[in-house]
């Protein structure tokens, strides 16, 4: 393992550590019922909107190329970026020119967010109105469009509707309960929305208990949709600038401080434990958090015992933008989506169907 060179110290006063998030505690938070009036407005509006599309009163716009949606039912991370990356790779292997359409949620001034920057060679076009992003992608030569976080974006027709479900917290709750619709819970719409899906894709299956996974598969099988079971596979670690790399075995038993600003920090922490990292502190920031120098100083303070700091690839995009970084080792845990051969064959069949002219 190559050790990265020390980085410049930060000089700002040390703020208080952020160890938890109200959003994580929403299902049991004592004040959540104050959101009931908002829930009484949100749920019927979503139901009426879906009814308008279901009855044909509103018609989705069509683009002249196949559109594949990768979305979910809950607010928060289900691991869409590694899945989108895998799908783009499978499509490029077929000779397709692929582009991603993204809303660009909490992006930089140019509209690009950290998820867009994690898709490597796949061009990303950001616009809250995905039809506008699609037209720009077509002008750039795209032959297939991936609609990022598109399950609820019904204004644009799609040829394949993939719904991701995090096996560690399928409906936004780690106990497996279905919970409530926003803003009292995590679900963006009712469970009956799964009827719109063409296939259901379980993520982080290796981090769920066998009993929980079996129960979830049984529940989802009842929908009569193809069911894929994926794993978030850690491939190694790299420094922030990507110039140094380390194998997972080199970090087994090493004391680390974890820091994350993602939708499901518990899954990141569980994956770190699974690959053998010894976590002495885990700091959680809000999803899509725009890190500041003070935030990084907070994280560095937790690693004063000589521990390395380990962050997600999604957060690394924002850390790199900061001029001053902790004078501590900072490593990025790199993750890819993995499917068993049978599920990979199912995915290829679904993609072929979406690509076939109708």
């Amino acid at each position: 393992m190559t050790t990265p060179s020390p980085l410049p110290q930060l000089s700002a006063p040390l703020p208080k550590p952020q160890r938890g998030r109200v959003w994580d505690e929403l299902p049991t938070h004592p004040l959540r019922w104050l959101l009931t009036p908002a829930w009484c407005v949100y749920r019927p509006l979503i139901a009426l909107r879906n009814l308008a599309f279901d009855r044909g009163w509103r018609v989705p716009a069509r683009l002249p190329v196949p559109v594949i949606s990768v979305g979910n039912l809950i607010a928060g991370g289900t691991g869409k970026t590694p899945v989108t990356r895998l799908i783009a790779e499978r499509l490029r292997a077929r000779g397709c020119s692929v582009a991603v359409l993204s809303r660009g949620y909490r992006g930089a001034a140019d509209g690009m967010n950290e998820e867009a920057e994690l898709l490597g060679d796949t061009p990303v076009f950001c616009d809250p109105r995905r039809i506008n992003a699609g037209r720009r992608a077509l002008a750039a030569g795209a032959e297939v469009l991936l609609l990022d976080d598109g399950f609820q974006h019904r204004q644009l027709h799609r040829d394949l509707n993939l719904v991701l479900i995090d096996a560690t917290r399928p409906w936004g709750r780690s106990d497996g309960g279905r919970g409530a619709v926003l803003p009292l819970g995590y679900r963006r719409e009712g469970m009956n929305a799964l009827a719109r899906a063409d296939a259901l894709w379980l993520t982080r299956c290796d981090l769920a208990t066998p009993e929980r996974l079996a129960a979830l598969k049984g529940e989802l099988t009842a929908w009569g949709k193809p069911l894929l079971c994926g794993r978030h596979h850690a491939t190694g670690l790299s420094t922030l600038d990507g110039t140094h790399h380390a194998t997972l075995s080199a970090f087994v038993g090493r004391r680390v401080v974890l820091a994350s600003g993602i939708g499901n920090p518990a899954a990141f922490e569980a994956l770190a434990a699974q690959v053998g990292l010894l976590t002495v502190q885990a700091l959680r920031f809000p999803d899509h958090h725009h890190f500041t120098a003070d935030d990084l100083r907070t994280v560095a303070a937790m690693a004063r015992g000589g521990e390395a700091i380990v962050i997600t690839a999604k957060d690394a995009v924002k850390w790199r933008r900061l001029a001053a970084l902790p004078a501590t080792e900072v490593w990025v845990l790199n993750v890819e989506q993995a499917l068993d051969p049978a599920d990979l064959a199912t995915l290829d069949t679904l993609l072929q169907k979406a690509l076939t002219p109708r």
Side-chain angles (χ1 to χ4, degrees), residues 101-330:
L101 310 184
S102 173
R103 176 186 171 194
Y105 177 69
R106 287 184 65 82
D110 60 0
M112 300 290 284
N113 63 8
E114 67 277 7
E115 291 162 337
E117 296 188 37
L118 290 173
L119 292 173
D121 296 334
T122 305
V124 180
F125 297 83
C126 294
D127 195 303
R129 293 193 65 195
R130 249 58 79 81
I131 185 69
N132 293 340
R135 288 168 180 151
R136 285 167 33 218
L138 291 176
E143 299 170 327
V144 183
L145 302 176
L146 299 182
L147 187 59
D148 174 60
D149 198 12
F151 189 51
Q152 284 75 35
H153 190 83
R154 301 191 64 179
Q155 296 95 321
L156 183 60
H157 170 81
R158 69 286 317 274
D159 299 276
L160 177 60
N161 223 1
L162 299 173
V163 175
L164 274 53
I165 299 166
D166 187 336
T168 66
R169 50 168 210 167
W171 316 120
R173 295 175 49 153
S174 59
D175 61 4
R178 293 186 178 184
V181 172
L182 291 169
L184 294 182
Y186 296 98
R187 286 190 289 115
R188 295 171 173 176
E189 50 187 322
M191 295 294 296
N192 60 348
L194 292 179
R196 302 200 310 267
D198 295 310
L200 307 177
W201 188 322
L202 282 170
T203 62
R204 302 189 176 108
C205 290
D206 53 325
L207 297 180
T209 64
E211 297 78 15
R212 179 72 57 78
L213 184 59
L216 182 57
K217 284 183 175 180
E219 178 182 358
L220 295 177
T221 300
W223 288 94
K225 311 285 184 179
L227 182 63
L228 294 84
C229 190
R231 305 180 305 279
H232 271 49
H233 172 62
T235 58
L237 299 101
S238 59
T239 53
L240 270 176
D241 59 8
T243 59
H244 299 90
H245 302 274
T247 62
L248 295 173
S249 60
F251 267 77
V252 171
R254 183 158 183 197
R255 291 165 57 88
V256 301
V257 169
L258 302 181
S260 61
I262 57 176
N264 187 355
F268 168 60
E269 294 156 13
L271 182 60
Q274 185 186 70
V275 300
L277 305 186
L278 181 59
T279 303
V280 299
Q281 187 70 261
L283 284 82
R284 299 177 176 182
F285 294 83
D287 191 17
H288 293 280
H289 183 64
H290 286 292
F291 285 89
T292 66
D294 282 352
D295 294 330
L296 271 58
R297 185 170 169 81
T298 298
V299 178
M302 300 294 102
R304 286 178 176 165
E307 298 86 0
I309 297 171
V310 177
I311 63 177
T312 71
K314 177 179 172 181
D315 294 316
V317 172
K318 292 179 178 177
W319 282 49
R320 293 188 195 106
R321 295 173 182 161
L322 297 174
L325 294 167
T328 307
E329 288 185 56
V330 179

